[in-house]
Amino acid sequence: MLKTFRIGGIHPPENKWSASQAIIPLPLPKQAVVPLSQHIGAPSEAVVQKGDNVKVGSLIARAGGFISAAIHSPVSGTVARIDHVVDASGAARPAIYINVEGDEWDNSIDRTATLKKDCTLTEKEIIDRITRSGIVGLGGATFPTHVKLSPPSGCKAEMLIINAVECEPYLTADHSLMLAKGEEILAGVGILMKAMQVSAAVIGIENNKRDAIALLTGLAAAGYPGIKVVPLKVKYPQGGEKQLIDAVMRRQVKSGALPISVGAVVQNVGTVYAVYEAVQKNKPLVERVVTVTGKGVAKPANFLVRIGTPVRDLIEAAGGSVDAAGKIIGGGPMMGRALANADVPVTKGSSGILVLPAEAAVRKPSQPCIRCAKCVHVCPMGLNPTLLMSAGEYQRWDLAEDELVTDCIECGSCSYICPANRPLLDYIRLGKGKVTGIMRARKS
């Protein structure tokens, strides 16, 4: 039987319409807008100013702390200004505006297609290069990768788990990347194994990507010892970090604990490819694969996009109309969030753009809870979503904390399954944010 996690889960329609589409390089934008907050942790600090000339790969912002990440120019041109931009969250954030003038890359970057399988760097040199290259988790969480590779004192990794699940409906960026860059991904896994000093790695892939499973299994058997490809049952949210660990290792991470507490380090497959390019090609994270899909576009596709490109350019390239869109979601339909406008720039964490027509973007009216407990049954964290919603609705932050609201992974399974169309996740997110702030204030 295929492996999977043991608590909860749902089976929404997959709608992987762009799964068979090869990766298409997107033309450069006229102006790149690069936010300084593209990761969990402290915002980056700009090291350029108006009028500076930059190349692709030039450092434009240094990390603002240990849990932070460097940012490099995704284009060549002139810094127009340092101002604010509305990001995917709807908040105005500091950003660097760069007028595009050609496509000149930093001379230190190796742009050849030659595979570099063997890594001669030491563990410290690998982590240092990842740090300098600004690599973060590309699955959506955007946690700085070098932090994951530097576990707390007393913790030791036993296994590297590669998250190639891509369980979110519609999205196919990881799938297309595995088919196009399978050898480089396996080389990247080997680099991470060396940096972590582990001898075992598992690549978890949902069973709806059988071509990717077959490709990576064959490549691993031909020359990558210690790497195993594990097909997983198609069930959402199989790609949740704790759910993936449960499926692969049969270990459950305790409330408030990190994956390293059970000996696991989880990295997204897109992150692995970025690590390969950073370590072997000296290429910082300046571009990524983004799925553009939904009924609001004519040609769902997977694009290779420079960071800072406006979402509008991606939608138009996929045959969509921004003016006709009822809703534009950054990410997938389950965990993604509606964008304030189509000029929001692509960031390191942008895995997909979902364009919905007006008729598909309207919520059904919310009804009173009918006490069916379906939300409790499907919650992959074993929480009580209807109780957590009530705590948020009535501002009972003490109750929300007692009921472990901070354990919620915001997968949206509860809202999806609710027959009364109650906005469960909305209120849980509210409560989670409030309780997190209270807990931080208590520690300070």
Side-chain angles (χ1 to χ4, degrees):
M1 293 181 63
L2 295 172
K3 293 185 176 182
T4 188
F5 56 98
R6 291 171 284 182
I7 301 174
I10 57 175
H11 297 85
E14 295 176 28
N15 295 333
K16 303 279 189 177
W17 300 332
S18 52
S20 60
Q21 302 299 314
I23 298 171
I24 303 170
L26 194 74
L28 297 178
K30 294 180 180 178
Q31 186 181 67
V33 183
V34 188
L36 297 181
S37 295
Q38 297 188 49
H39 47 264
I40 288 177
S44 304
E45 301 170 352
V47 296
V48 293
Q49 55 188 355
K50 180 179 178 180
D52 287 352
N53 293 317
V54 294
K55 298 179 181 180
V56 180
S58 299
L59 181 70
I60 58 175
R62 61 173 176 261
F66 178 62
I67 303 181
S68 186
I71 296 176
H72 301 77
S73 177
V75 295
S76 63
T78 303
V79 176
R81 66 186 191 275
I82 300 176
D83 204 341
H84 287 75
V85 67
V86 175
D87 66 6
S89 71
R93 311 281 188 188
I96 299 173
Y97 289 69
I98 305 173
N99 292 332
V100 179
E101 301 164 359
D103 193 27
E104 185 180 358
W105 289 62
D106 190 281
N107 294 331
S108 65
I109 300 173
D110 179 3
R111 299 185 65 200
T112 65
T114 306
L115 175 70
K116 292 186 176 180
K117 180 178 176 180
D118 298 322
C119 178
T120 58
L121 301 181
T122 65
E123 293 86 349
K124 183 180 184 304
E125 289 171 335
I126 290 172
I127 295 175
D128 287 345
R129 188 163 293 188
I130 290 171
T131 305
R132 291 199 306 270
S133 299
I135 309 300
V136 302
L138 299 189
T142 63
F143 196 83
T145 302
H146 67 274
V147 179
K148 275 194 175 183
L149 298 177
S150 306
S153 177
C155 296
K156 178 70 173 70
E158 300 175 28
M159 178 183 289
L160 170 64
I161 300 176
I162 306 305
N163 187 346
V165 175
E166 200 167 40
C167 60
E168 182 86 32
Y170 291 94
L171 303 188
T172 60
D174 289 348
H175 188 179
S176 64
L177 183 64
M178 286 187 281
L179 296 179
K181 301 293 182 180
E183 192 96 36
E184 290 86 347
I185 288 169
L186 288 177
V189 174
I191 291 168
L192 287 170
M193 291 171 67
K194 183 175 182 179
M196 294 167 51
Q197 302 180 51
V198 298
S199 57
V202 169
I203 303 176
I205 309 177
E206 272 195 327
N207 203 41
N208 56 3
K209 305 172 186 65
R210 296 186 182 182
D211 48 0
I213 292 172
L215 174 64
L216 295 188
T217 299
L219 291 174
Y224 295 91
I227 302 176
K228 181 181 179 182
V229 178
V230 176
L232 301 169
K233 184 178 179 180
V234 179
K235 185 170 72 167
Y236 180 86
Q238 187 77 254
E241 192 171 55
K242 294 181 179 180
Q243 285 66 44
L244 184 55
I245 292 170
D246 184 28
V248 171
M249 300 180 70
R250 275 299 182 261
R251 298 179 184 177
Q252 293 189 339
V253 182
K254 293 181 180 180
S255 175
L258 297 172
I260 192 66
S261 66
V262 296
V265 172
V266 181
Q267 299 284 2
N268 173 265
V269 69
T271 309
V272 174
Y273 179 66
V275 165
Y276 165 80
E277 291 204 303
V279 175
Q280 301 293 72
K281 304 280 188 175
N282 202 38
K283 179 184 173 183
L285 184 52
V286 295
E287 59 186 0
R288 65 157 298 151
V289 179
V290 181
T291 299
V292 185
T293 184
K295 291 184 178 180
V297 299
K299 299 173 291 186
N302 302 299
F303 293 112
L304 181 63
V305 185
R306 299 287 177 89
I307 305 301
T309 301
V311 165
R312 181 182 302 274
D313 290 9
L314 281 71
I315 296 174
E316 292 174 353
S321 171
V322 171
D323 294 334
K327 181 178 288 186
I328 301 172
I329 297 174
M334 299 301 296
M335 296 187 73
R337 301 195 182 194
L339 302 182
N341 59 65
D343 295 317
V344 169
V346 168
T347 62
K348 296 177 181 181
S350 300
S351 56
I353 303 297
L354 176 59
V355 185
L356 301 177
E359 60 271 18
V362 179
R363 285 190 177 188
K364 296 179 181 179
S366 176
Q367 303 293 330
C369 177
I370 62 174
R371 302 294 190 268
C372 66
K374 287 186 176 181
C375 60
V376 178
H377 178 70
V378 302
C379 178
M381 295 302 296
L383 304 176
N384 186 335
T386 185
L387 179 58
L388 291 174
M389 175 181 171
S390 295
E393 195 173 10
Y394 295 102
Q395 301 184 21
R396 286 286 310 277
W397 313 132
D398 56 335
L399 176 61
E401 183 175 357
D402 290 343
E403 294 296 325
L404 306 179
V405 69
T406 54
D407 281 359
C408 174
I409 61 172
E410 303 182 29
C411 67
S413 296
C414 54
S415 292
Y416 174 83
I417 205 69
C418 179
N421 305 311
R422 292 175 64 74
L424 292 157
L425 181 56
D426 296 38
Y427 279 101
I428 292 173
R429 275 179 173 158
L430 172 65
K432 185 177 176 181
K434 290 288 187 180
V435 170
T436 300
I438 292 170
M439 292 171 70
R440 285 176 180 167
R442 191 184 299 148
K443 292 179 180 179
S444 62

